[in-house]
Amino acid sequence: MNIKTLVLLLSLLSGALYGRPLNVLLITGDDHGVEMDAYGDDQAHTPNLNRLGEMGVLFERGYVTQSSCSPSRSSILTGLYPHQNGQLGLAHVGYAINPELPNLAVEMKNAGYMTGIIGKLHVEPASAFPFDLDNSKFVLGSRDVAEVSRRADAFMGEAEKAGRPFFLYVNFFDPHRPYDAGAFQTKGIPSHPHTAEEVELLPFVALDFPGMRHDVAGYYSALERVDWGVGLLIEDLKRRNLLDDTLIIYVGDHGAPFARAKTTCYEAGVRIPFLVYVPGALANGSRDARFVSTVDIMPTILEAAGLEVPPGLAGRSLLPLLENDADPKWRTMIATEYTAHRVDHYYPRRAIRDGRYKLILNLESGRKNPAVPGQYKAPPEGDPWRAVMEVFLYPPRYELYDVEADPYELHNLSDDPAYADTLLKLQEELTAWRLETDDPTLDPEYLKRLGAQHAKLAGGKWVPLEEPETSSL
């Protein structure tokens, strides 16, 4: 720990301006990719999120571990990749973490924090997360952002009365599907919903499928409501004079729910808005292009609260970056994964990227990608999107993209001899990451058994693999 980070920690632990320990407000938007004004999306109207990024640090290269709700959220709460914590797919179809692992809810509660959750948890077993305030069943209702604010404000008030710092985890349902009337407008918010006639198609899947423009309009409308809700939460903190001693983190749990985004390893699926405000941090008001991951959230919160960070976490505290530390040892690559969403969406992938190139390894490339909505089909011959969608529908073993020149990953370079050295380098880096994080899919026998179990249970609920019998000889 360098001296600047130590000074920041001491100021946080002394209670900044008001003599209170640091509070923590962790906020997620459900299915929120980098569709924000501050990330260059002109269709998005997110003034409150933009302001949060201006108050603190906007990380330009923020990533989830997996572009599926439950696995992603498990990483936020445990600081581990899904293949490490066990949450390989959605919680409500049987996937779950190892309940003996440390998690944010337990660590903060044990440290004397009043803990609360508003909105969905979506990680199992729920009993592993003993929040003092448990509003995790308040899911679709969180479209009423004024009610979210009311509940959050009441929780802050209870913590204040008890003389305890708080850890509040707020999870907006928006901008998740369905894109029904409530998605376009709930309780008058937004005041002017987007319409199918005005929106532009998303650049990573610019195909005019039936209903696509309606869904894009619903997505952006719901996103504006998340922005409004974030603004209300910040106003709650201001009204209680808590803003100057509250750590605020906002992330999307993964990218937008469209083809070539959610349930993929493409940038549109794994890259997210990542905004961090720490009172008094030297880097506040800046943008940072270094790679950060949602596995960094748990160690950041624990260190900022002055708590011991459990050994073995995959992530690192972001506090040195918030102090403008030009750490030469900070990661120069970022890895992501995908195993399943629903059981019948099993299609294991691993991916890694550096500052320019991205490699995706499709571990079961011999079959069609099952996590493809029915309306998404390859365009007719002659359409420039045909080759793109064929790769999406029938992925090859490797995909290689120049994400600097081709940010939406439309041109697979893996078979181009000119990129053979780049392909080999990233293959080696990906293998090194998989070894470092004990990825069980490195074992061909495990991968075979995992695939067979998913095939057996497809359409139903997940039942974890039993350990293979070993000989006593």
Side-chain angles (χ1 to χ4, degrees), residues 4-5 8-9 12 247 276 278 281 299-305 316-325 330:
K4 291 186 293 184
T5 304
L8 174 63
L9 273 174
L12 295 175
L247 162 63
V276 182
V278 173
T300 299
I301 290 174
L302 294 180
E303 186 175 343
R316 299 174 58 184
S317 170
L318 300 173
L319 290 189
L321 277 58
L322 298 169
E323 285 305 288
N324 289 329
D325 186 354
W330 193 259

mmCIF file with all atom_site columns, all heavy atoms in Angstrom, residues 4-5 8-9 12 247 276 278 281 299-305 316-325 330:
data_model
loop_
_atom_site.group_PDB
_atom_site.id
_atom_site.type_symbol
_atom_site.label_atom_id
_atom_site.label_alt_id
_atom_site.label_comp_id
_atom_site.label_asym_id
_atom_site.label_entity_id
_atom_site.label_seq_id
_atom_site.pdbx_PDB_ins_code
_atom_site.Cartn_x
_atom_site.Cartn_y
_atom_site.Cartn_z
_atom_site.occupancy
_atom_site.B_iso_or_equiv
_atom_site.pdbx_formal_charge
_atom_site.auth_seq_id
_atom_site.auth_comp_id
_atom_site.auth_asym_id
_atom_site.auth_atom_id
_atom_site.pdbx_PDB_model_num
ATOM 1   N N   . LYS A 1 4   ? -0.150  7.465  -0.450  1.00 0.00 ? 4   LYS A N   1
ATOM 2   C CA  . LYS A 1 4   ? -1.386  8.166  -0.811  1.00 0.00 ? 4   LYS A CA  1
ATOM 3   C C   . LYS A 1 4   ? -2.612  7.336  -0.468  1.00 0.00 ? 4   LYS A C   1
ATOM 4   O O   . LYS A 1 4   ? -3.613  7.851  0.036   1.00 0.00 ? 4   LYS A O   1
ATOM 5   C CB  . LYS A 1 4   ? -1.381  8.511  -2.300  1.00 0.00 ? 4   LYS A CB  1
ATOM 6   C CG  . LYS A 1 4   ? -0.369  9.576  -2.685  1.00 0.00 ? 4   LYS A CG  1
ATOM 7   C CD  . LYS A 1 4   ? -0.501  9.989  -4.130  1.00 0.00 ? 4   LYS A CD  1
ATOM 8   C CE  . LYS A 1 4   ? -0.126  8.891  -5.072  1.00 0.00 ? 4   LYS A CE  1
ATOM 9   N NZ  . LYS A 1 4   ? -0.155  9.309  -6.486  1.00 0.00 ? 4   LYS A NZ  1
ATOM 10  N N   . THR A 1 5   ? -2.549  6.038  -0.741  1.00 0.00 ? 5   THR A N   1
ATOM 11  C CA  . THR A 1 5   ? -3.669  5.160  -0.403  1.00 0.00 ? 5   THR A CA  1
ATOM 12  C C   . THR A 1 5   ? -3.849  5.079  1.105   1.00 0.00 ? 5   THR A C   1
ATOM 13  O O   . THR A 1 5   ? -4.979  5.075  1.609   1.00 0.00 ? 5   THR A O   1
ATOM 14  C CB  . THR A 1 5   ? -3.441  3.762  -0.986  1.00 0.00 ? 5   THR A CB  1
ATOM 15  O OG1 . THR A 1 5   ? -3.231  3.873  -2.397  1.00 0.00 ? 5   THR A OG1 1
ATOM 16  C CG2 . THR A 1 5   ? -4.640  2.862  -0.735  1.00 0.00 ? 5   THR A CG2 1
ATOM 17  N N   . LEU A 1 8   ? -5.627  8.151  2.287   1.00 0.00 ? 8   LEU A N   1
ATOM 18  C CA  . LEU A 1 8   ? -7.050  8.064  1.963   1.00 0.00 ? 8   LEU A CA  1
ATOM 19  C C   . LEU A 1 8   ? -7.762  7.152  2.954   1.00 0.00 ? 8   LEU A C   1
ATOM 20  O O   . LEU A 1 8   ? -8.830  7.488  3.483   1.00 0.00 ? 8   LEU A O   1
ATOM 21  C CB  . LEU A 1 8   ? -7.247  7.543  0.542   1.00 0.00 ? 8   LEU A CB  1
ATOM 22  C CG  . LEU A 1 8   ? -8.710  7.268  0.129   1.00 0.00 ? 8   LEU A CG  1
ATOM 23  C CD1 . LEU A 1 8   ? -9.533  8.537  0.152   1.00 0.00 ? 8   LEU A CD1 1
ATOM 24  C CD2 . LEU A 1 8   ? -8.756  6.624  -1.244  1.00 0.00 ? 8   LEU A CD2 1
ATOM 25  N N   . LEU A 1 9   ? -7.181  5.995  3.240   1.00 0.00 ? 9   LEU A N   1
ATOM 26  C CA  . LEU A 1 9   ? -7.803  5.061  4.170   1.00 0.00 ? 9   LEU A CA  1
ATOM 27  C C   . LEU A 1 9   ? -7.972  5.678  5.555   1.00 0.00 ? 9   LEU A C   1
ATOM 28  O O   . LEU A 1 9   ? -9.020  5.547  6.184   1.00 0.00 ? 9   LEU A O   1
ATOM 29  C CB  . LEU A 1 9   ? -6.961  3.792  4.279   1.00 0.00 ? 9   LEU A CB  1
ATOM 30  C CG  . LEU A 1 9   ? -7.240  2.697  3.259   1.00 0.00 ? 9   LEU A CG  1
ATOM 31  C CD1 . LEU A 1 9   ? -6.220  1.586  3.428   1.00 0.00 ? 9   LEU A CD1 1
ATOM 32  C CD2 . LEU A 1 9   ? -8.644  2.150  3.437   1.00 0.00 ? 9   LEU A CD2 1
ATOM 33  N N   . LEU A 1 12  ? -10.818 8.062  5.549   1.00 0.00 ? 12  LEU A N   1
ATOM 34  C CA  . LEU A 1 12  ? -12.108 7.369  5.510   1.00 0.00 ? 12  LEU A CA  1
ATOM 35  C C   . LEU A 1 12  ? -12.447 6.791  6.876   1.00 0.00 ? 12  LEU A C   1
ATOM 36  O O   . LEU A 1 12  ? -13.579 6.886  7.358   1.00 0.00 ? 12  LEU A O   1
ATOM 37  C CB  . LEU A 1 12  ? -12.078 6.252  4.464   1.00 0.00 ? 12  LEU A CB  1
ATOM 38  C CG  . LEU A 1 12  ? -11.931 6.695  3.006   1.00 0.00 ? 12  LEU A CG  1
ATOM 39  C CD1 . LEU A 1 12  ? -11.792 5.468  2.110   1.00 0.00 ? 12  LEU A CD1 1
ATOM 40  C CD2 . LEU A 1 12  ? -13.111 7.533  2.556   1.00 0.00 ? 12  LEU A CD2 1
ATOM 41  N N   . LEU A 1 247 ? -19.216 5.834  0.306   1.00 0.00 ? 247 LEU A N   1
ATOM 42  C CA  . LEU A 1 247 ? -18.672 5.246  -0.914  1.00 0.00 ? 247 LEU A CA  1
ATOM 43  C C   . LEU A 1 247 ? -19.854 4.829  -1.791  1.00 0.00 ? 247 LEU A C   1
ATOM 44  O O   . LEU A 1 247 ? -20.747 4.115  -1.338  1.00 0.00 ? 247 LEU A O   1
ATOM 45  C CB  . LEU A 1 247 ? -17.813 4.030  -0.573  1.00 0.00 ? 247 LEU A CB  1
ATOM 46  C CG  . LEU A 1 247 ? -17.477 3.024  -1.686  1.00 0.00 ? 247 LEU A CG  1
ATOM 47  C CD1 . LEU A 1 247 ? -16.664 3.676  -2.783  1.00 0.00 ? 247 LEU A CD1 1
ATOM 48  C CD2 . LEU A 1 247 ? -16.753 1.816  -1.113  1.00 0.00 ? 247 LEU A CD2 1
ATOM 49  N N   . VAL A 1 276 ? -17.301 4.934  -9.638  1.00 0.00 ? 276 VAL A N   1
ATOM 50  C CA  . VAL A 1 276 ? -16.911 4.809  -8.227  1.00 0.00 ? 276 VAL A CA  1
ATOM 51  C C   . VAL A 1 276 ? -16.648 6.194  -7.645  1.00 0.00 ? 276 VAL A C   1
ATOM 52  O O   . VAL A 1 276 ? -15.821 6.953  -8.168  1.00 0.00 ? 276 VAL A O   1
ATOM 53  C CB  . VAL A 1 276 ? -15.655 3.937  -8.056  1.00 0.00 ? 276 VAL A CB  1
ATOM 54  C CG1 . VAL A 1 276 ? -15.303 3.798  -6.569  1.00 0.00 ? 276 VAL A CG1 1
ATOM 55  C CG2 . VAL A 1 276 ? -15.851 2.561  -8.680  1.00 0.00 ? 276 VAL A CG2 1
ATOM 56  N N   . VAL A 1 278 ? -15.478 7.907  -4.105  1.00 0.00 ? 278 VAL A N   1
ATOM 57  C CA  . VAL A 1 278 ? -14.958 7.821  -2.743  1.00 0.00 ? 278 VAL A CA  1
ATOM 58  C C   . VAL A 1 278 ? -14.682 9.246  -2.279  1.00 0.00 ? 278 VAL A C   1
ATOM 59  O O   . VAL A 1 278 ? -13.910 9.966  -2.921  1.00 0.00 ? 278 VAL A O   1
ATOM 60  C CB  . VAL A 1 278 ? -13.652 6.993  -2.680  1.00 0.00 ? 278 VAL A CB  1
ATOM 61  C CG1 . VAL A 1 278 ? -13.055 7.062  -1.279  1.00 0.00 ? 278 VAL A CG1 1
ATOM 62  C CG2 . VAL A 1 278 ? -13.928 5.549  -3.048  1.00 0.00 ? 278 VAL A CG2 1
ATOM 63  N N   . ALA A 1 281 ? -11.130 11.324 -2.677  1.00 0.00 ? 281 ALA A N   1
ATOM 64  C CA  . ALA A 1 281 ? -10.137 10.647 -3.520  1.00 0.00 ? 281 ALA A CA  1
ATOM 65  C C   . ALA A 1 281 ? -9.526  11.630 -4.512  1.00 0.00 ? 281 ALA A C   1
ATOM 66  O O   . ALA A 1 281 ? -10.225 12.452 -5.119  1.00 0.00 ? 281 ALA A O   1
ATOM 67  C CB  . ALA A 1 281 ? -10.783 9.485  -4.268  1.00 0.00 ? 281 ALA A CB  1
ATOM 68  N N   . PRO A 1 299 ? -13.179 -6.464 -2.630  1.00 0.00 ? 299 PRO A N   1
ATOM 69  C CA  . PRO A 1 299 ? -11.974 -5.984 -1.938  1.00 0.00 ? 299 PRO A CA  1
ATOM 70  C C   . PRO A 1 299 ? -11.930 -4.464 -1.800  1.00 0.00 ? 299 PRO A C   1
ATOM 71  O O   . PRO A 1 299 ? -11.383 -3.950 -0.809  1.00 0.00 ? 299 PRO A O   1
ATOM 72  C CB  . PRO A 1 299 ? -10.824 -6.512 -2.798  1.00 0.00 ? 299 PRO A CB  1
ATOM 73  C CG  . PRO A 1 299 ? -11.424 -6.905 -4.095  1.00 0.00 ? 299 PRO A CG  1
ATOM 74  C CD  . PRO A 1 299 ? -12.838 -7.262 -3.820  1.00 0.00 ? 299 PRO A CD  1
ATOM 75  N N   . THR A 1 300 ? -12.492 -3.734 -2.757  1.00 0.00 ? 300 THR A N   1
ATOM 76  C CA  . THR A 1 300 ? -12.515 -2.274 -2.660  1.00 0.00 ? 300 THR A CA  1
ATOM 77  C C   . THR A 1 300 ? -13.355 -1.831 -1.466  1.00 0.00 ? 300 THR A C   1
ATOM 78  O O   . THR A 1 300 ? -12.932 -0.984 -0.663  1.00 0.00 ? 300 THR A O   1
ATOM 79  C CB  . THR A 1 300 ? -13.088 -1.661 -3.951  1.00 0.00 ? 300 THR A CB  1
ATOM 80  O OG1 . THR A 1 300 ? -12.259 -2.015 -5.055  1.00 0.00 ? 300 THR A OG1 1
ATOM 81  C CG2 . THR A 1 300 ? -13.177 -0.144 -3.848  1.00 0.00 ? 300 THR A CG2 1
ATOM 82  N N   . ILE A 1 301 ? -14.552 -2.382 -1.346  1.00 0.00 ? 301 ILE A N   1
ATOM 83  C CA  . ILE A 1 301 ? -15.443 -2.007 -0.247  1.00 0.00 ? 301 ILE A CA  1
ATOM 84  C C   . ILE A 1 301 ? -14.829 -2.383 1.102   1.00 0.00 ? 301 ILE A C   1
ATOM 85  O O   . ILE A 1 301 ? -14.834 -1.588 2.048   1.00 0.00 ? 301 ILE A O   1
ATOM 86  C CB  . ILE A 1 301 ? -16.819 -2.657 -0.434  1.00 0.00 ? 301 ILE A CB  1
ATOM 87  C CG1 . ILE A 1 301 ? -17.554 -1.995 -1.621  1.00 0.00 ? 301 ILE A CG1 1
ATOM 88  C CG2 . ILE A 1 301 ? -17.663 -2.548 0.832   1.00 0.00 ? 301 ILE A CG2 1
ATOM 89  C CD1 . ILE A 1 301 ? -18.874 -2.648 -1.982  1.00 0.00 ? 301 ILE A CD1 1
ATOM 90  N N   . LEU A 1 302 ? -14.298 -3.588 1.187   1.00 0.00 ? 302 LEU A N   1
ATOM 91  C CA  . LEU A 1 302 ? -13.726 -4.028 2.462   1.00 0.00 ? 302 LEU A CA  1
ATOM 92  C C   . LEU A 1 302 ? -12.531 -3.173 2.868   1.00 0.00 ? 302 LEU A C   1
ATOM 93  O O   . LEU A 1 302 ? -12.409 -2.761 4.028   1.00 0.00 ? 302 LEU A O   1
ATOM 94  C CB  . LEU A 1 302 ? -13.330 -5.499 2.377   1.00 0.00 ? 302 LEU A CB  1
ATOM 95  C CG  . LEU A 1 302 ? -14.481 -6.499 2.208   1.00 0.00 ? 302 LEU A CG  1
ATOM 96  C CD1 . LEU A 1 302 ? -13.932 -7.922 2.132   1.00 0.00 ? 302 LEU A CD1 1
ATOM 97  C CD2 . LEU A 1 302 ? -15.498 -6.368 3.326   1.00 0.00 ? 302 LEU A CD2 1
ATOM 98  N N   . GLU A 1 303 ? -11.653 -2.880 1.921   1.00 0.00 ? 303 GLU A N   1
ATOM 99  C CA  . GLU A 1 303 ? -10.487 -2.065 2.264   1.00 0.00 ? 303 GLU A CA  1
ATOM 100 C C   . GLU A 1 303 ? -10.901 -0.650 2.627   1.00 0.00 ? 303 GLU A C   1
ATOM 101 O O   . GLU A 1 303 ? -10.375 -0.062 3.580   1.00 0.00 ? 303 GLU A O   1
ATOM 102 C CB  . GLU A 1 303 ? -9.490  -2.042 1.102   1.00 0.00 ? 303 GLU A CB  1
ATOM 103 C CG  . GLU A 1 303 ? -8.206  -1.322 1.470   1.00 0.00 ? 303 GLU A CG  1
ATOM 104 C CD  . GLU A 1 303 ? -7.134  -1.385 0.397   1.00 0.00 ? 303 GLU A CD  1
ATOM 105 O OE1 . GLU A 1 303 ? -7.228  -2.240 -0.503  1.00 0.00 ? 303 GLU A OE1 1
ATOM 106 O OE2 . GLU A 1 303 ? -6.207  -0.567 0.466   1.00 0.00 ? 303 GLU A OE2 1
ATOM 107 N N   . ALA A 1 304 ? -11.858 -0.092 1.885   1.00 0.00 ? 304 ALA A N   1
ATOM 108 C CA  . ALA A 1 304 ? -12.308 1.268  2.187   1.00 0.00 ? 304 ALA A CA  1
ATOM 109 C C   . ALA A 1 304 ? -12.973 1.346  3.556   1.00 0.00 ? 304 ALA A C   1
ATOM 110 O O   . ALA A 1 304 ? -12.927 2.387  4.219   1.00 0.00 ? 304 ALA A O   1
ATOM 111 C CB  . ALA A 1 304 ? -13.279 1.743  1.114   1.00 0.00 ? 304 ALA A CB  1
ATOM 112 N N   . ALA A 1 305 ? -13.594 0.239  3.982   1.00 0.00 ? 305 ALA A N   1
ATOM 113 C CA  . ALA A 1 305 ? -14.226 0.194  5.305   1.00 0.00 ? 305 ALA A CA  1
ATOM 114 C C   . ALA A 1 305 ? -13.235 -0.167 6.407   1.00 0.00 ? 305 ALA A C   1
ATOM 115 O O   . ALA A 1 305 ? -13.624 -0.271 7.574   1.00 0.00 ? 305 ALA A O   1
ATOM 116 C CB  . ALA A 1 305 ? -15.370 -0.813 5.286   1.00 0.00 ? 305 ALA A CB  1
ATOM 117 N N   . ARG A 1 316 ? -8.989  -7.113 -6.941  1.00 0.00 ? 316 ARG A N   1
ATOM 118 C CA  . ARG A 1 316 ? -8.070  -6.245 -6.214  1.00 0.00 ? 316 ARG A CA  1
ATOM 119 C C   . ARG A 1 316 ? -8.789  -4.962 -5.845  1.00 0.00 ? 316 ARG A C   1
ATOM 120 O O   . ARG A 1 316 ? -9.673  -4.494 -6.568  1.00 0.00 ? 316 ARG A O   1
ATOM 121 C CB  . ARG A 1 316 ? -6.855  -5.898 -7.088  1.00 0.00 ? 316 ARG A CB  1
ATOM 122 C CG  . ARG A 1 316 ? -6.035  -7.078 -7.513  1.00 0.00 ? 316 ARG A CG  1
ATOM 123 C CD  . ARG A 1 316 ? -4.944  -6.653 -8.491  1.00 0.00 ? 316 ARG A CD  1
ATOM 124 N NE  . ARG A 1 316 ? -4.040  -5.647 -7.942  1.00 0.00 ? 316 ARG A NE  1
ATOM 125 C CZ  . ARG A 1 316 ? -3.061  -5.066 -8.644  1.00 0.00 ? 316 ARG A CZ  1
ATOM 126 N NH1 . ARG A 1 316 ? -2.883  -5.398 -9.923  1.00 0.00 ? 316 ARG A NH1 1
ATOM 127 N NH2 . ARG A 1 316 ? -2.275  -4.173 -8.093  1.00 0.00 ? 316 ARG A NH2 1
ATOM 128 N N   . SER A 1 317 ? -8.400  -4.359 -4.742  1.00 0.00 ? 317 SER A N   1
ATOM 129 C CA  . SER A 1 317 ? -8.976  -3.083 -4.349  1.00 0.00 ? 317 SER A CA  1
ATOM 130 C C   . SER A 1 317 ? -8.647  -2.012 -5.385  1.00 0.00 ? 317 SER A C   1
ATOM 131 O O   . SER A 1 317 ? -7.523  -1.932 -5.891  1.00 0.00 ? 317 SER A O   1
ATOM 132 C CB  . SER A 1 317 ? -8.435  -2.652 -2.987  1.00 0.00 ? 317 SER A CB  1
ATOM 133 O OG  . SER A 1 317 ? -8.821  -1.311 -2.703  1.00 0.00 ? 317 SER A OG  1
ATOM 134 N N   . LEU A 1 318 ? -9.644  -1.173 -5.659  1.00 0.00 ? 318 LEU A N   1
ATOM 135 C CA  . LEU A 1 318 ? -9.461  -0.076 -6.604  1.00 0.00 ? 318 LEU A CA  1
ATOM 136 C C   . LEU A 1 318 ? -8.926  1.191  -5.939  1.00 0.00 ? 318 LEU A C   1
ATOM 137 O O   . LEU A 1 318 ? -8.684  2.184  -6.624  1.00 0.00 ? 318 LEU A O   1
ATOM 138 C CB  . LEU A 1 318 ? -10.799 0.253  -7.291  1.00 0.00 ? 318 LEU A CB  1
ATOM 139 C CG  . LEU A 1 318 ? -11.438 -0.879 -8.098  1.00 0.00 ? 318 LEU A CG  1
ATOM 140 C CD1 . LEU A 1 318 ? -12.818 -0.458 -8.576  1.00 0.00 ? 318 LEU A CD1 1
ATOM 141 C CD2 . LEU A 1 318 ? -10.558 -1.260 -9.281  1.00 0.00 ? 318 LEU A CD2 1
ATOM 142 N N   . LEU A 1 319 ? -8.744  1.174  -4.622  1.00 0.00 ? 319 LEU A N   1
ATOM 143 C CA  . LEU A 1 319 ? -8.328  2.396  -3.934  1.00 0.00 ? 319 LEU A CA  1
ATOM 144 C C   . LEU A 1 319 ? -7.024  2.980  -4.473  1.00 0.00 ? 319 LEU A C   1
ATOM 145 O O   . LEU A 1 319 ? -6.917  4.211  -4.606  1.00 0.00 ? 319 LEU A O   1
ATOM 146 C CB  . LEU A 1 319 ? -8.217  2.144  -2.429  1.00 0.00 ? 319 LEU A CB  1
ATOM 147 C CG  . LEU A 1 319 ? -9.540  1.917  -1.681  1.00 0.00 ? 319 LEU A CG  1
ATOM 148 C CD1 . LEU A 1 319 ? -9.291  1.913  -0.175  1.00 0.00 ? 319 LEU A CD1 1
ATOM 149 C CD2 . LEU A 1 319 ? -10.581 2.956  -2.036  1.00 0.00 ? 319 LEU A CD2 1
ATOM 150 N N   . PRO A 1 320 ? -6.009  2.175  -4.809  1.00 0.00 ? 320 PRO A N   1
ATOM 151 C CA  . PRO A 1 320 ? -4.806  2.793  -5.386  1.00 0.00 ? 320 PRO A CA  1
ATOM 152 C C   . PRO A 1 320 ? -5.098  3.559  -6.671  1.00 0.00 ? 320 PRO A C   1
ATOM 153 O O   . PRO A 1 320 ? -4.519  4.630  -6.907  1.00 0.00 ? 320 PRO A O   1
ATOM 154 C CB  . PRO A 1 320 ? -3.886  1.595  -5.651  1.00 0.00 ? 320 PRO A CB  1
ATOM 155 C CG  . PRO A 1 320 ? -4.326  0.566  -4.664  1.00 0.00 ? 320 PRO A CG  1
ATOM 156 C CD  . PRO A 1 320 ? -5.817  0.727  -4.569  1.00 0.00 ? 320 PRO A CD  1
ATOM 157 N N   . LEU A 1 321 ? -5.994  3.068  -7.505  1.00 0.00 ? 321 LEU A N   1
ATOM 158 C CA  . LEU A 1 321 ? -6.343  3.758  -8.745  1.00 0.00 ? 321 LEU A CA  1
ATOM 159 C C   . LEU A 1 321 ? -7.070  5.056  -8.444  1.00 0.00 ? 321 LEU A C   1
ATOM 160 O O   . LEU A 1 321 ? -6.924  6.046  -9.171  1.00 0.00 ? 321 LEU A O   1
ATOM 161 C CB  . LEU A 1 321 ? -7.211  2.875  -9.636  1.00 0.00 ? 321 LEU A CB  1
ATOM 162 C CG  . LEU A 1 321 ? -6.479  1.855  -10.529 1.00 0.00 ? 321 LEU A CG  1
ATOM 163 C CD1 . LEU A 1 321 ? -5.621  0.898  -9.724  1.00 0.00 ? 321 LEU A CD1 1
ATOM 164 C CD2 . LEU A 1 321 ? -7.472  1.085  -11.385 1.00 0.00 ? 321 LEU A CD2 1
ATOM 165 N N   . LEU A 1 322 ? -7.862  5.059  -7.368  1.00 0.00 ? 322 LEU A N   1
ATOM 166 C CA  . LEU A 1 322 ? -8.597  6.262  -6.996  1.00 0.00 ? 322 LEU A CA  1
ATOM 167 C C   . LEU A 1 322 ? -7.679  7.335  -6.424  1.00 0.00 ? 322 LEU A C   1
ATOM 168 O O   . LEU A 1 322 ? -8.097  8.476  -6.251  1.00 0.00 ? 322 LEU A O   1
ATOM 169 C CB  . LEU A 1 322 ? -9.681  5.902  -5.977  1.00 0.00 ? 322 LEU A CB  1
ATOM 170 C CG  . LEU A 1 322 ? -10.743 4.923  -6.502  1.00 0.00 ? 322 LEU A CG  1
ATOM 171 C CD1 . LEU A 1 322 ? -11.609 4.418  -5.363  1.00 0.00 ? 322 LEU A CD1 1
ATOM 172 C CD2 . LEU A 1 322 ? -11.604 5.570  -7.563  1.00 0.00 ? 322 LEU A CD2 1
ATOM 173 N N   . GLU A 1 323 ? -6.454  6.965  -6.154  1.00 0.00 ? 323 GLU A N   1
ATOM 174 C CA  . GLU A 1 323 ? -5.460  7.927  -5.693  1.00 0.00 ? 323 GLU A CA  1
ATOM 175 C C   . GLU A 1 323 ? -4.433  8.255  -6.784  1.00 0.00 ? 323 GLU A C   1
ATOM 176 O O   . GLU A 1 323 ? -3.320  8.689  -6.485  1.00 0.00 ? 323 GLU A O   1
ATOM 177 C CB  . GLU A 1 323 ? -4.753  7.404  -4.442  1.00 0.00 ? 323 GLU A CB  1
ATOM 178 C CG  . GLU A 1 323 ? -5.625  7.503  -3.211  1.00 0.00 ? 323 GLU A CG  1
ATOM 179 C CD  . GLU A 1 323 ? -6.116  8.923  -2.991  1.00 0.00 ? 323 GLU A CD  1
ATOM 180 O OE1 . GLU A 1 323 ? -5.303  9.784  -2.611  1.00 0.00 ? 323 GLU A OE1 1
ATOM 181 O OE2 . GLU A 1 323 ? -7.316  9.171  -3.199  1.00 0.00 ? 323 GLU A OE2 1
ATOM 182 N N   . ASN A 1 324 ? -4.836  8.014  -8.050  1.00 0.00 ? 324 ASN A N   1
ATOM 183 C CA  . ASN A 1 324 ? -3.964  8.330  -9.193  1.00 0.00 ? 324 ASN A CA  1
ATOM 184 C C   . ASN A 1 324 ? -2.651  7.561  -9.156  1.00 0.00 ? 324 ASN A C   1
ATOM 185 O O   . ASN A 1 324 ? -1.616  8.042  -9.617  1.00 0.00 ? 324 ASN A O   1
ATOM 186 C CB  . ASN A 1 324 ? -3.670  9.832  -9.279  1.00 0.00 ? 324 ASN A CB  1
ATOM 187 C CG  . ASN A 1 324 ? -4.876  10.629 -9.702  1.00 0.00 ? 324 ASN A CG  1
ATOM 188 O OD1 . ASN A 1 324 ? -5.718  10.136 -10.449 1.00 0.00 ? 324 ASN A OD1 1
ATOM 189 N ND2 . ASN A 1 324 ? -4.975  11.857 -9.211  1.00 0.00 ? 324 ASN A ND2 1
ATOM 190 N N   . ASP A 1 325 ? -2.672  6.378  -8.597  1.00 0.00 ? 325 ASP A N   1
ATOM 191 C CA  . ASP A 1 325 ? -1.470  5.559  -8.520  1.00 0.00 ? 325 ASP A CA  1
ATOM 192 C C   . ASP A 1 325 ? -1.207  4.923  -9.887  1.00 0.00 ? 325 ASP A C   1
ATOM 193 O O   . ASP A 1 325 ? -2.008  4.134  -10.381 1.00 0.00 ? 325 ASP A O   1
ATOM 194 C CB  . ASP A 1 325 ? -1.662  4.469  -7.463  1.00 0.00 ? 325 ASP A CB  1
ATOM 195 C CG  . ASP A 1 325 ? -0.402  3.653  -7.225  1.00 0.00 ? 325 ASP A CG  1
ATOM 196 O OD1 . ASP A 1 325 ? 0.586   3.864  -7.953  1.00 0.00 ? 325 ASP A OD1 1
ATOM 197 O OD2 . ASP A 1 325 ? -0.414  2.812  -6.317  1.00 0.00 ? 325 ASP A OD2 1
ATOM 198 N N   . TRP A 1 330 ? -0.615  -3.147 -12.254 1.00 0.00 ? 330 TRP A N   1
ATOM 199 C CA  . TRP A 1 330 ? -2.047  -3.308 -12.470 1.00 0.00 ? 330 TRP A CA  1
ATOM 200 C C   . TRP A 1 330 ? -2.280  -4.143 -13.724 1.00 0.00 ? 330 TRP A C   1
ATOM 201 O O   . TRP A 1 330 ? -1.461  -4.139 -14.637 1.00 0.00 ? 330 TRP A O   1
ATOM 202 C CB  . TRP A 1 330 ? -2.747  -1.952 -12.601 1.00 0.00 ? 330 TRP A CB  1
ATOM 203 C CG  . TRP A 1 330 ? -4.233  -2.098 -12.516 1.00 0.00 ? 330 TRP A CG  1
ATOM 204 C CD1 . TRP A 1 330 ? -5.121  -2.107 -13.534 1.00 0.00 ? 330 TRP A CD1 1
ATOM 205 C CD2 . TRP A 1 330 ? -4.997  -2.313 -11.328 1.00 0.00 ? 330 TRP A CD2 1
ATOM 206 N NE1 . TRP A 1 330 ? -6.393  -2.310 -13.075 1.00 0.00 ? 330 TRP A NE1 1
ATOM 207 C CE2 . TRP A 1 330 ? -6.354  -2.449 -11.716 1.00 0.00 ? 330 TRP A CE2 1
ATOM 208 C CE3 . TRP A 1 330 ? -4.667  -2.421 -9.970  1.00 0.00 ? 330 TRP A CE3 1
ATOM 209 C CZ2 . TRP A 1 330 ? -7.380  -2.670 -10.793 1.00 0.00 ? 330 TRP A CZ2 1
ATOM 210 C CZ3 . TRP A 1 330 ? -5.690  -2.638 -9.053  1.00 0.00 ? 330 TRP A CZ3 1
ATOM 211 C CH2 . TRP A 1 330 ? -7.027  -2.759 -9.468  1.00 0.00 ? 330 TRP A CH2 1
#
